């Protein structure tokens, strides 16, 4: 009888040690997996609204429509009664903090698993549709006429703040480096 108790005790200890090892491995994998997740992936997984505070202190609230590793696209509510929602492209580098972001994540890669950088997201806005380009210095209204590796050109209108800069004549082209970009917002035609 003593041998049966001894073997049962040893078997129980071995099973307990195995469970503890498995739990430690699962916890370690969870930490490693969490370390691989970008915050834009979490915004993309959020079903409700998120609030993003930009570097200028302003807030954008809306639902995430799409995201890349370095940008998010929100359907943001427009202030004012009856105004339709608008789409706002926000570079990840322009966000100071985010609220309401889901704990879980979705991959932000496009077709074929390739990343979709900010450059491609801005390039999708290229054309005659009017936009409001918000920068750290001022806002510029017009159309995106050109998208370079690290900048975009806005043409067709003066800066949003009248008299804010020299060379603000209608038809002038304003070049905005991506590093200064806070958001690009679609405007009603």
């Amino acid at each position: 009888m003593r041998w049966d108790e001894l073997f049962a005790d040893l078997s129980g200890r071995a099973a307990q040690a195995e469970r503890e090892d498995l739990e430690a491995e699962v916890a370690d994998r969870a930490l490693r997996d969490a370390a691989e997740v970008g915050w834009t992936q979490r915004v993309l997984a959020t079903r409700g609204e998120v609030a993003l505070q930009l570097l200028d202190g302003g807030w954008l609230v809306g639902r995430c429509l799409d995201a890349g590793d370095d940008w998010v696209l929100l359907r943001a509510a427009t202030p004012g009664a009856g105004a339709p929602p608008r789409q706002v492209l926000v570079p990840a580098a322009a966000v100071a903090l985010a609220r309401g972001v889901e704990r879980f994540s979705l991959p932000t890669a496009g077709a074929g698993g390739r990343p979709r950088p900010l450059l491609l997201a801005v390039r999708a806005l290229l054309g005659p549709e009017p936009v409001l380009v918000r920068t750290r210095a001022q806002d510029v209204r017009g159309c995106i006429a050109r998208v370079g590796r690290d900048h975009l050109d806005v043409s067709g209108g003066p800066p949003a703040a009248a008299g804010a800069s020299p060379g603000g004549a209608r038809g002038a082209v304003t070049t905005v480096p991506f590093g200064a970009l806070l958001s690009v917002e679609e405007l009603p035609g």
Side-chain angles (χ1 to χ4, degrees):
M1 192 59 117
R2 285 181 43 186
W3 287 106
D4 290 337
E5 290 174 8
L6 177 63
F7 289 133
D9 183 49
L10 289 175
S11 178
R13 288 183 188 192
Q16 177 64 26
E18 192 174 306
R19 274 192 304 273
E20 289 173 358
D21 287 346
L22 180 60
E23 289 172 2
E25 183 179 340
V26 167
D28 183 55
R29 283 186 183 185
L31 286 174
R32 283 186 303 195
D33 288 347
E36 296 294 318
V37 172
W39 72 269
T40 60
Q41 292 170 301
R42 291 178 54 204
V43 170
L44 186 59
T46 303
R47 294 179 193 257
E49 287 190 335
V50 295
L52 304 179
Q53 184 177 36
L54 302 183
L55 294 175
D56 69 350
W59 285 90
L60 284 173
V61 178
R63 292 184 182 273
C64 183
L65 299 174
D66 201 358
D69 289 339
D70 59 350
W71 58 272
V72 295
L73 179 65
L74 293 182
R75 176 166 301 283
T78 304
R86 66 200 193 280
Q87 290 188 20
V88 183
L89 177 67
V90 182
V95 177
L97 58 91
R99 291 194 177 139
V101 176
E102 184 65 54
R103 261 186 59 176
F104 305 101
S105 64
L106 290 175
T108 56
R114 292 188 306 227
R116 296 175 298 157
L118 178 63
L119 166 69
L120 295 180
V122 173
R123 194 175 287 158
L125 299 172
L126 189 66
E129 293 79 21
V131 295
L132 172 64
V133 177
R134 295 190 57 228
T135 74
R136 295 179 191 200
Q138 69 182 53
D139 297 348
V140 180
R141 293 179 191 271
C143 301
I144 298 177
R146 180 175 185 268
V147 179
R149 177 176 46 95
D150 61 354
H151 67 281
L152 62 98
D153 285 348
V154 182
S155 69
S165 69
R170 182 159 302 281
V173 173
T174 303
T175 300
V176 179
F178 286 166
L181 191 62
L182 292 176
S183 67
V184 180
E185 176 182 327
E186 68 177 3
L187 295 174

